[in-house]
Amino acid sequence: MAKSALSFVCQNCGAAYNRWQGKCDACGEWNTLAEEDTTGATTMPAGIRSRRKSRLFTLETLAGKTQDAPRLSSGMAELDRVTGGGFVRGSVLLVGGDPGIGKSTLLTQATSLLARAGHRAVYISGEEAVAQVRLRAERLGLADAPVQLAAETSVEDIVATLSEGAVPRLVVIDSIQTMWTDTVESAPGTVTQVRASAQALIRFAKTSGAALILVGHVTKDGQIAGPRVVEHMVDAVLSFEGEGSQQFRILRAVKNRFGPTDEIGVFEMTGLGLREVSNPSELFLSERDLGSPGTAVFAGIEGTRPVLVELQALVAPTSLGTPRRAVVGWDSNRLSMVLAVLEAHCGVRLSGYDVYFNVAGGLRINEPAADLAAAAALVSSLTNAQLPTDAVYFGEISLSGAVRPVAQTSARLKEAAKLGFGRAVLPESARGDIGGDTGLTLNTVAGLTTLVAEIAARGQGRPGKAPDPEKNATPARFRRQDG
Ligand code: TYD
Ligand code: MG
């Protein structure tokens, strides 16, 4: 057999080279190239290389009838929302997330609910023993669900076993990094193994019509470890996110061939597993620090659903030559833009200040509509002027300092009214989109200067404020020029 010319494979991105080098040209990572035998994966049919006969293993119990529906609801509304209405037959989903975030918990719950509904649902754990998975199910109160369970890592055995009997409606593989196939000789977890294993499992899903969920580990920089290649092979990539210390977990579609990618599913990790949060605003606003300057509530839209979330800013005098700009949950370029507009058009001097910005609850905001709320929080922190606690903010800020309208004004206002807010600060030009009485006091602003002046006025004469707010937060045309 001729040896393949390409035998050094980057363990990060899967690029192949014919000689070793310190840095991968494709992804820029150092020391990630490892020698692998890639010949088997590409040139030899599986049957020839596979020297050992596939062994059948027993699955725990068999659930009854199978139903045919193009989409299979998982029984968890938040999961269905992210997948676009349930699992599609023969589709493959990759669920990524940090270790310990709750991927196994989420998928144990989903398979159990499906099995309870009478579908054949299989959970294959490559990381935990059957007893461990059972223990978790017991803790979740799902031990009675007729899930078919196995602790296996050989792809050939898994495919052979799953091909027996009725086609499973859902197969969970936890995780793809632990799977191995005899068709390639590399160690489990290497790019070659992961790719070949995923290929074999995906082939099974496509031919049988079973929905397949692959669990993938995530590296510290947020990539699904090793198999970036797998992301291209699957139909949908979901990422399960959250701060370890907080109870909120957010499921987000990164790629979805069968549904939208802007929907989020919100869960809360409790002692009894993941609880679905159907009204995320209540959760994100549940621990508000009322009465402190530097916070503003943003009325946002995630997918089709309005979500209210608190934005927090801390503006503090810097001791460094280059002030710090630290952002969590928002785009740092967006923050720089808002800071530049405040500086250029509103006379707010921020170059001598460190700026820290945070979105409460671990949510990540992508909407430009958050500009106005962010600006309000920043100015509020700088001037030590508390914003009204019953106000929500939304609107996009243009580079000229104008406040531009954003989509779905009435949905945002309705959600704010529902949660007991009394007023909204919104773009002047959005007036036309407001359908009927919202029950809110509407404070429309045409330009950022107006908003800054209003907030600065609130901060005047208050004790314990930031150094000289007049100099920093008064519109440029009113500002004293100091020598
Ligand atoms: P797990 O699903 O094992 O995470 P992953 O598969 O993503 O690595 O979840 C592990 C964490 O979840 C663990 O730190 C404990 C916590 N947990 C709860 O708080 N409540 C529960 O009911 C369960 C099952 C787990
Ligand atoms: Mg796990």
Side-chain angles (χ1 to χ4, degrees):
M1 194 75 205
K3 197 175 184 309
S4 164
L6 298 174
S7 56
F8 291 91
V9 178
C10 170
Q11 301 300 306
N12 182 50
C13 70
Y17 300 88
N18 56 8
R19 76 170 73 86
W20 191 86
Q21 55 194 61
K23 185 183 178 187
C24 172
D25 294 334
C27 65
E29 286 291 314
W30 288 89
N31 279 331
T32 53
L33 260 60
E35 186 165 13
E36 278 183 17
D37 184 4
T38 53
T39 46
T42 49
T43 58
M44 255 186 273
I48 297 172
R49 276 188 75 86
S50 177
R51 266 168 241 118
R52 68 188 261 277
K53 197 169 172 292
S54 295
R55 167 180 64 91
L56 300 189
F57 52 86
T58 45
L59 292 162
E60 307 299 310
T61 48
L62 194 78
K65 61 184 194 309
T66 47
Q67 272 171 18
D68 255 349
R71 284 222 188 233
L72 182 66
S73 167
S74 63
M76 300 178 88
E78 292 293 299
L79 180 56
D80 286 350
R81 177 194 297 280
V82 179
T83 53
F87 305 120
V88 176
R89 287 178 62 86
S91 70
V92 183
L93 230 95
L94 179 65
V95 177
D98 291 330
I101 203 78
K103 301 180 294 294
S104 305
T105 308
L106 176 73
L107 296 173
T108 307
Q109 287 181 249
T111 34
S112 302
L113 292 176
L114 271 180
R116 271 193 187 157
H119 302 289
R120 185 182 177 203
V122 181
Y123 190 99
I124 311 273
S125 177
E127 297 189 338
E128 291 160 291
V130 169
Q132 281 175 296
V133 181
R134 278 205 187 117
L135 208 67
R136 182 189 285 115
E138 220 161 87
R139 192 133 80 86
L140 301 173
L142 296 166
D144 62 314
V147 173
Q148 301 184 332
L149 189 65
E152 282 294 328
T153 52
S154 159
V155 170
E156 278 74 32
D157 294 350
I158 291 169
V159 170
T161 307
L162 294 182
S163 309
E164 294 280 302
V167 175
R169 288 309 307 273
L170 180 70
V171 179
V172 173
I173 303 286
D174 188 2
S175 65
I176 187 65
Q177 274 90 3
T178 55
M179 296 293 138
W180 62 277
T181 159
D182 334 303
T183 55
V184 291
E185 267 162 17
S186 342
T190 56
V191 170
T192 317
Q193 267 296 355
V194 167
R195 183 168 39 199
S197 305
Q199 243 159 15
L201 290 165
I202 291 169
R203 201 179 317 120
F204 166 75
K206 298 288 172 199
T207 49
S208 67
L212 175 69
I213 300 183
L214 304 174
V215 174
H217 289 286
V218 166
T219 57
K220 53 187 182 305
D221 55 350
Q223 299 287 356
I224 293 183
R228 276 249 279 284
V229 269
V230 176
E231 290 191 29
H232 302 293
M233 291 154 64
V234 299
D235 298 307
V237 180
L238 307 185
S239 121
F240 204 36
E241 303 164 356
E243 298 290 322
S245 55
Q246 281 176 336
Q247 301 308 317
F248 322 124
R249 300 284 185 269
I250 293 164
L251 187 67
R252 187 185 292 277
V254 180
K255 156 184 171 179
N256 195 351
R257 284 185 187 150
F258 306 115
T261 53
D262 52 359
E263 290 282 4
I264 59 166
V266 184
F267 300 87
E268 187 184 2
M269 182 61 97
T270 69
L272 294 171
L274 291 160
R275 188 180 71 81
E276 295 179 65
V277 178
S278 49
N279 191 342
S281 307
E282 275 171 16
L283 189 74
F284 292 133
L285 296 177
S286 61
E287 282 165 24
R288 271 183 79 193
D289 186 8
L290 293 172
S292 56
T295 63
V297 176
F298 165 53
I301 299 277
E302 288 288 337
T304 53
R305 174 165 64 169
V307 173
L308 265 54
V309 62
E310 186 180 81
L311 307 188
Q312 305 164 342
L314 176 63
V315 179
T318 187
S319 52
L320 307 167
T322 313
R324 279 184 69 109
R325 303 285 185 247
V327 196
V328 178
W330 202 39
D331 183 12
S332 55
N333 288 330
R334 205 78 211 168
L335 176 72
S336 305
M337 199 202 84
V338 170
L339 293 177
V341 174
L342 282 170
E343 188 128 20
H345 296 290
C346 310
V348 181
R349 288 263 175 80
L350 287 157
S351 48
Y353 292 86
D354 288 335
V355 174
Y356 302 90
F357 190 85
N358 181 39
V359 178
L363 190 71
R364 206 175 60 225
I365 297 176
N366 300 317
E367 267 191 296
D371 293 354
L372 196 65
L378 289 164
V379 177
S380 160
S381 173
L382 178 73
T383 59
N384 204 24
Q386 186 199 328
L387 297 173
T389 51
D390 66 339
V392 298
Y393 295 78
F394 61 90
E396 184 181 341
I397 295 171
S398 74
L399 287 178
S400 65
V403 180
R404 294 160 43 86
V406 293
Q408 310 206 43
T409 299
S410 55
R412 295 173 204 265
L413 294 176
K414 218 188 270 169
E415 177 79 359
K418 199 170 98 190
L419 288 163
F421 283 85
R423 69 181 95 180
V425 179
L426 69 164
E428 176 80 60
S429 38
R431 274 207 182 274
D433 305 339
I434 305 159
D437 182 28
T438 54
L440 297 171
T441 310
L442 300 179
N443 178 4
T444 55
V445 287
L448 191 55
T449 323
T450 329
L451 181 75
V452 171
E454 270 173 33
I455 298 172
R458 291 179 71 90
Q460 311 259 313
R462 286 170 51 92
K465 55 194 169 193
D468 200 1
E470 278 178 27
K471 183 176 118 201
N472 287 296
T474 319
R477 59 181 184 281
F478 302 130
R479 211 172 59 221
R480 266 180 289 125
Q481 293 294 316
D482 32 23

